[in-house]
Each structure stands twice: as C-alpha cells, then as structure tokens.
Amino acid sequence: GAVVSQHPSRVICKSGTSVKIECRSLDFQATTMFWYRQFPKQSLMLMATSNEGSKATYEQGVEKDKFLINHASLTLSTLTVTSAHPEDSSFYICSARAAARETREQYFGPGTRLTVT
Amino acid sequence: AQSVTQLGSHVSVSEGALVLLRCNYSSSVPPYLFWYVQYPNQGLQLLLKYTSAATLVKGINGFEAEFKKSETSFHLTKPSAHMSDAAEYFCALFSGGYNKLIFGAGTRLAVHP
C-alpha cells in the first residue's frame, strides 16, 4: 500500500513552453501533498505544500506564478512549470501524506526529470 | 530551530562489512524521525521510522536505527553491506510547527567488492 505515482517520468520541452507534472496517490487519500526539487547530488528542496481544495503554500524564494500547483482532489496534485527555461531543468519529486495516519509519514513518487532546451 | 545533520556526505564500505550512517537532530519537542533511501533517478523509499515507541527501530532490507535522546542521534546501521545497498540515504525530521519534513544533506553509500 501507500503508492504514489508521477507522470511523466521524463519530459523534454522547449524554452518558453509550459509543462504539467501529475502526482497521484494510488491507494490512499492524501490531504496534504508536497512538491520537491532536487539538484544533482543534493538533498531535496521543498517547493510547496498543498492541501486538498485550498491554495498551495510556497516556500520562500519559490515563484508561485511560475510553479503552479493544483490539488483538486484527495488523490491528485499537479505541478505546472510555466514559461520554462533551462534553469528549471531538474528532478521534481512529489510526496503525499495520508489523512488517517498519525506518524507524519510521507510517501514519495518516483520523480520526474525535466529538461528544458 | 529544528535541523538534521548527516555526518559524512560519502561513506564507502566493503561488501559484507558493517554499514553505519550518522544522523543527528535538533528538536525542542519529541521528534518523529525517518530514514529514506534513494536509488539513482528514483524517488525516496522509506527505510524505517521512529515515532516514540521502541528506541531500536527495524526497517526494510536489514537496516535498523537506534534513537538516542541523550545524544540526539538516530544512526542507521546494517550488519553486512550488500552491493545493492549502494544508494543515497537521507535522514529526516518531521517538523510539527511547519508541517513538513526537514531533510539532512544526504549520505552517498558506496559498496565495493
């Protein structure tokens, strides 16, 4: 149980275009979802936290107009990178926390490799 | 402030040797602590977690960790390394005040024959 999927696993897009990444909790309801960015050989950097049905809370320094997050249901969150540029190339990982669990455990998706050319 | 420190960005062991990955935390409240493993180009997989029950926590793949409050540590160990253990390992602390995980910088484990 507690599986999180991401789609696509890899995406290449041209500079100036937008790309959407989906994150789904497959076998549990996730009231809270998280989006992380990871640079090579570095730890995860939290970008934003989203709760179902409400606006995402962005970490300091993360542009909310560039990284649009939607958490429309208890099993789906999306991250849209708008007007992508090469510096947005990175590994994006989503994570979800189950509503019923008290252990603060988060389940991570397999990640999405974004390359902007 | 809450924080996580992983001592040693790279650890190299021989196959069959003891694995010890160090994690120290800072928290003013009883912590929830986690160890995650990340294989190349993949997401994070939970190895084990401490949630104020037993101080010695057993996880998957033969790993275990011991919570030591007096030392503010949560070191990860495995008696005998396997080649498949080569990966990046992250220690994390749940921050209730900020409702998020605080990650350490990670430790890359290399296992050589």
Side-chain angles (χ1 to χ4, degrees):
Chain A
V3 178
V4 176
S5 69
Q6 275 185 248
H7 178 79
S9 57
R10 291 178 176 270
V11 58
I12 300 172
C13 69
K14 293 186 181 298
S15 186
T17 63
S18 295
V19 61
K20 179 185 286 187
I21 303 170
E22 290 188 350
C23 176
R24 294 181 185 273
S25 57
L26 299 184
D27 50 3
F28 66 99
Q29 293 186 326
T31 52
T32 307
M33 287 187 165
F34 306 84
W35 286 95
Y36 296 85
R37 183 173 179 177
Q38 187 179 33
F39 293 101
K41 302 186 188 302
Q42 294 189 25
S43 188
L44 282 70
M45 182 190 78
L46 180 64
M47 300 174 65
T49 302
S50 70
N51 292 296
E52 185 262 339
S54 60
K55 290 184 178 180
T57 300
Y58 290 81
E59 295 296 301
Q60 191 172 9
V62 177
E63 300 177 60
K64 61 181 181 180
D65 294 330
K66 181 168 187 61
F67 299 100
L68 302 179
I69 293 172
N70 183 279
H71 190 168
S73 77
L74 285 172
T75 59
L76 174 64
S77 177
T78 60
L79 167 67
T80 302
V81 183
T82 63
S83 186
H85 288 91
E87 57 264 31
D88 298 325
S89 298
S90 193
F91 193 55
Y92 293 88
I93 305 174
C94 75
S95 175
R97 182 183 301 150
R101 294 172 187 256
E102 295 298 324
T103 60
R104 284 68 173 173
E105 186 173 330
Q106 288 179 212
Y107 304 96
F108 288 81
T112 297
R113 174 76 59 192
L114 170 64
T115 303
V116 184
T117 61
Chain B
Q2 294 175 301
S3 65
V4 177
T5 302
Q6 290 183 242
L7 298 176
S9 59
H10 290 81
V11 171
S12 181
V13 300
S14 299
E15 190 173 19
L18 171 71
V19 175
L20 171 60
L21 304 183
R22 300 177 186 273
C23 173
N24 288 88
Y25 70 91
S26 174
S27 177
S28 58
V29 298
Y32 288 85
L33 294 161
F34 305 85
W35 274 100
Y36 287 91
V37 61
Q38 184 181 32
Y39 298 99
N41 296 308
Q42 295 188 28
L44 274 65
Q45 180 183 8
L46 180 68
L47 279 176
L48 48 80
K49 59 189 177 188
Y50 169 75
T51 57
S52 75
T55 57
L56 182 62
V57 182
K58 294 187 183 300
I60 63 171
N61 302 340
F63 285 94
E64 63 181 37
E66 186 172 7
F67 173 74
K68 291 186 176 180
K69 184 178 179 180
S70 61
E71 298 178 8
T72 61
S73 69
F74 190 56
H75 301 332
L76 181 71
T77 61
K78 182 174 180 177
S80 177
H82 192 273
M83 297 296 287
S84 61
D85 294 327
E88 187 85 20
Y89 291 80
F90 293 98
C91 182
L93 166 72
F94 176 76
S95 170
Y98 295 98
N99 191 33
K100 63 182 181 182
L101 284 177
I102 297 172
F103 284 93
T107 297
R108 183 168 297 275
L109 175 66
V111 182
H112 51 84

